[in-house]
Amino acid sequence: MKLFKRILPLLVISCWLLASGCDPNRVFEDNTDLPELTWDTKNKISFDVDIQDTVSLHNLYVNVRHASHYQYANLFVFVTIKFPNGKLSKDTLECKFADEAGQWKGEGMGDIWDNQILWKSNVKFPISGTYIFQLEQAMRDEQLPFVMDVGLRVEKAEVKTPD
């Protein structure tokens, strides 16, 4: 029993360190499955992100998982940010999924490809509160088959120190 009382705090601390140490820069990350593996222009994907840190720099990524039968080498996405004070910002992002030779980029396993596309780097959020990010596919096709899920990642940017 005495051994258990000594080991238990170490186990709890170890588990906490493992869980928090996996991705220490991640502030937010979530992905939304698309119905019938198709992204329709009417399907706008929203993420509510609570930002309290207005000092650190952040990187913003759009995550896209697609099947290898996806018919294009890229995907255009309209991104809208609604700031906590109601202000809106709109942007267009081109997600490049294949190189010039037609080879898929990203992390692939079989027929499925995961892409994490840097949208903005070294962003400083001006005010704290809930930011609403909305992603909308902006291709000419109303429906994009073989797009499986779409997501958003916000992470703290790594500060590089001069050597």
Side-chain angles (χ1 to χ4, degrees), residues 60 62 75-83 88-95 118-121 123 132-138:
L60 309 176
V62 170
L75 167 69
F76 284 94
V77 178
F78 294 138
V79 184
T80 303
I81 305 173
K82 183 176 181 183
F83 290 72
L88 293 176
S89 172
K90 294 185 179 189
D91 201 359
T92 303
L93 171 67
E94 180 183 10
C95 305
L118 179 64
W119 167 39
K120 292 186 178 283
S121 61
V123 172
I132 300 171
F133 293 83
Q134 186 178 72
L135 307 177
E136 176 184 359
Q137 72 99 335

Side-chain angles (χ1 to χ4, degrees), residues 47-52 82-85 127-132:
F47 301 97
D48 293 359
V49 182
D50 182 41
I51 301 291
Q52 297 303 316
K82 183 176 181 183
F83 290 72
N85 62 4
I127 54 178
S128 63
T130 300
Y131 288 76
I132 300 171

Side-chain angles (χ1 to χ4, degrees), residues 146-163:
F146 303 109
V147 179
M148 303 168 79
D149 58 66
V150 179
L152 177 75
R153 176 181 171 91
V154 178
E155 69 179 21
K156 287 192 178 185
E158 291 186 27
V159 178
K160 296 186 179 182
T161 57
D163 293 336

